[in-house]
Amino acid sequence: QAVQGPARTYPTLPARLLVHVALPTRCNYMRRVLGLGAAATAAAVAHFLNERIVEARATRIERLRACGHLDQICRTPSGDLATQSSFDRPIVVTGLLDDWPAREWTFDSLRKRIGQALVDTGSSTGGVPFYLVAANAQRGRSGTADLALYVFDSDFSADSGKSCLLEDVDRLPTLTRGSVCEAGAAAEHDDRPVWRWLLAGPEGSGTLIHQDPWGYTSWNALFVGDKRWILFPPSVPRETLHPPRTDLIGRAAACLGLHLPRGACEFMDEVLPALRGQGLGEVDLVQRPGEVIAFPAGWWHAVVNLDATLAWTESFGRTRDLASITHALRRGGLGDFANVVQDEATATSVVQDLPLERK
């Protein structure tokens, strides 16, 4: 109904209520219904995709576990001092950790001791409390852990809340005897690069294929869980170990001139099978709790945690690598430390008949 006037038509009160109240209310109701429907649909799609990701992760981990038969490296007993002091290829040593208190570590025991301490997971926003790392690593269902919460922490200062862990680990002199970075003033030098880390990661986490810096040799002591390792000699070209990614993300990055490396799981599952049988000299192994793996400077390596793992790793400089170590330090802007390393090595008679370079 409307009241006709000489110039225009005015809606009656019921009509005005319909226009200004009823229709907007109905539209708002429909928008809310559609919004809830879209949100529910998005949630269902996200859940479906997440389930597929979880299943794919779990399946990939099982495939990597099933390759344990490829581990043909002979274990070196702790009493074999000759092998530990002069290895040219990766070795796995047993018995070195028998007296370490760290052999009793568990995620629960560390959560009680350092649960509130911040640990480094590589996040740009800073550290996260260890109790979150422990909770994430102990998720019951395979493939559901947040792989980003993988701890590589090197801060054991008095105010870090983690200095107590140093009481549980020891040196490995049978491996590191004569380390050029621990002679005299070099050991406590302010410019000495980080050389020891606490490692704590969930199942499926790991480190992509890489070489350790500074010309250092490294060892890794495992306390909880299993680790899958693949190592290649320094002579293997980088391009061989980092072929272009063929997935959608990799191709998109390539169009922008970027090269995205594969994660450790993807490398072992997608790239490694094609590299076998080419005579590259790779070493494939599964490290068990209580074992120590050590490998010479320059060896490429990738690691996947087949379980939630706790480990401790250190890097050191061997006498035979002194020239390459000081060269790498100078190239990295640590010339003062390189000079101290060289001087201390000479003064303590660590170096024998080795060409020395000073700049």
Coordinates of all heavy atoms in Angstrom, one line a residue, residues 110-119 128-132 160-162:
L110 N 64.1 -34.1 30.8 CA 64.6 -32.8 30.4 C 63.5 -31.8 30.6 O 63.8 -30.6 30.9 CB 65.1 -32.8 29.0 CG 66.4 -33.6 28.7 CD1 66.9 -33.3 27.3 CD2 67.5 -33.2 29.7
R111 N 62.3 -32.1 30.4 CA 61.2 -31.2 30.6 C 61.2 -30.7 32.1 O 60.9 -29.6 32.4 CB 59.9 -31.8 30.2 CG 58.7 -30.8 30.5 CD 57.5 -31.2 29.7 NE 57.2 -32.7 29.7 CZ 56.3 -33.3 29.0 NH1 55.5 -32.5 28.1 NH2 56.1 -34.5 29.0
K112 N 61.4 -31.6 33.0 CA 61.5 -31.3 34.4 C 62.6 -30.4 34.7 O 62.6 -29.5 35.6 CB 61.5 -32.5 35.2 CG 60.3 -33.4 35.2 CD 60.4 -34.7 35.9 CE 59.2 -35.6 35.8 NZ 59.3 -36.9 36.5
R113 N 63.7 -30.5 34.0 CA 65.0 -29.8 34.3 C 65.0 -28.5 33.6 O 65.5 -27.4 34.2 CB 66.2 -30.6 34.0 CG 66.3 -31.9 34.8 CD 67.5 -32.8 34.4 NE 68.8 -32.1 34.5 CZ 69.9 -32.6 34.0 NH1 69.9 -33.7 33.4 NH2 71.0 -31.9 34.2
I114 N 64.7 -28.4 32.3 CA 64.8 -27.2 31.5 C 63.5 -26.9 30.8 O 63.6 -26.2 29.8 CB 66.0 -27.4 30.5 CG1 65.7 -28.5 29.5 CG2 67.3 -27.7 31.2 CD1 66.6 -28.5 28.3
G115 N 62.4 -27.3 31.3 CA 61.1 -27.1 30.6 C 60.8 -25.6 30.3 O 60.3 -25.3 29.2
Q116 N 61.2 -24.7 31.2 CA 60.9 -23.3 31.0 C 62.0 -22.6 30.2 O 61.9 -21.4 29.8 CB 60.7 -22.6 32.3 CG 59.5 -23.1 33.1 CD 58.2 -22.8 32.3 OE1 58.1 -21.8 31.6 NE2 57.2 -23.7 32.5
A117 N 63.1 -23.2 30.0 CA 64.3 -22.6 29.3 C 63.9 -22.5 27.8 O 63.3 -23.4 27.2 CB 65.5 -23.4 29.5
L118 N 64.4 -21.4 27.2 CA 64.1 -21.2 25.8 C 65.2 -21.9 25.0 O 66.4 -21.8 25.3 CB 64.2 -19.7 25.4 CG 63.1 -18.8 26.1 CD1 63.2 -17.3 25.7 CD2 61.7 -19.3 25.8
V119 N 64.8 -22.6 23.9 CA 65.7 -23.3 23.1 C 65.5 -22.8 21.6 O 64.5 -22.3 21.2 CB 65.5 -24.8 23.1 CG1 65.9 -25.4 24.5 CG2 64.0 -25.2 22.9
V128 N 61.8 -21.0 21.9 CA 60.5 -21.5 22.5 C 60.9 -22.3 23.7 O 61.9 -22.9 23.8 CB 59.8 -22.3 21.4 CG1 59.4 -21.6 20.2 CG2 60.6 -23.6 21.1
P129 N 60.0 -22.3 24.7 CA 60.2 -23.1 25.9 C 60.4 -24.6 25.5 O 59.6 -25.1 24.7 CB 59.0 -22.9 26.7 CG 58.3 -21.7 26.2 CD 58.6 -21.7 24.7
F130 N 61.3 -25.3 26.2 CA 61.6 -26.7 25.9 C 60.3 -27.6 26.1 O 60.2 -28.6 25.4 CB 62.7 -27.2 26.7 CG 63.1 -28.6 26.4 CD1 63.9 -28.9 25.2 CD2 62.6 -29.7 27.1 CE1 64.2 -30.2 24.9 CE2 62.9 -31.0 26.8 CZ 63.7 -31.3 25.7
Y131 N 59.5 -27.2 27.1 CA 58.3 -28.0 27.3 C 57.4 -28.2 26.1 O 56.8 -29.2 25.9 CB 57.5 -27.6 28.6 CG 56.7 -26.3 28.4 CD1 55.4 -26.4 27.8 CD2 57.2 -25.1 28.7 CE1 54.6 -25.3 27.7 CE2 56.4 -23.9 28.6 CZ 55.1 -24.0 28.0 OH 54.4 -22.9 27.9
L132 N 57.4 -27.1 25.3 CA 56.6 -27.2 24.0 C 57.2 -28.2 23.0 O 56.6 -28.9 22.3 CB 56.4 -25.8 23.4 CG 55.6 -24.8 24.1 CD1 55.6 -23.5 23.4 CD2 54.2 -25.3 24.3
S160 N 71.1 -19.1 30.8 CA 70.3 -19.7 29.8 C 69.3 -20.7 30.3 O 68.3 -21.1 29.7 CB 71.2 -20.5 28.7 OG 71.8 -21.6 29.3
G161 N 69.6 -21.2 31.6 CA 68.7 -22.2 32.2 C 69.1 -23.6 31.7 O 68.4 -24.6 32.1
K162 N 70.1 -23.8 30.9 CA 70.5 -25.1 30.4 C 72.0 -25.5 30.7 O 72.4 -26.5 30.2 CB 70.3 -25.1 28.8 CG 68.9 -24.9 28.4 CD 68.8 -24.5 26.9 CE 69.3 -23.1 26.8 NZ 69.2 -22.6 25.4

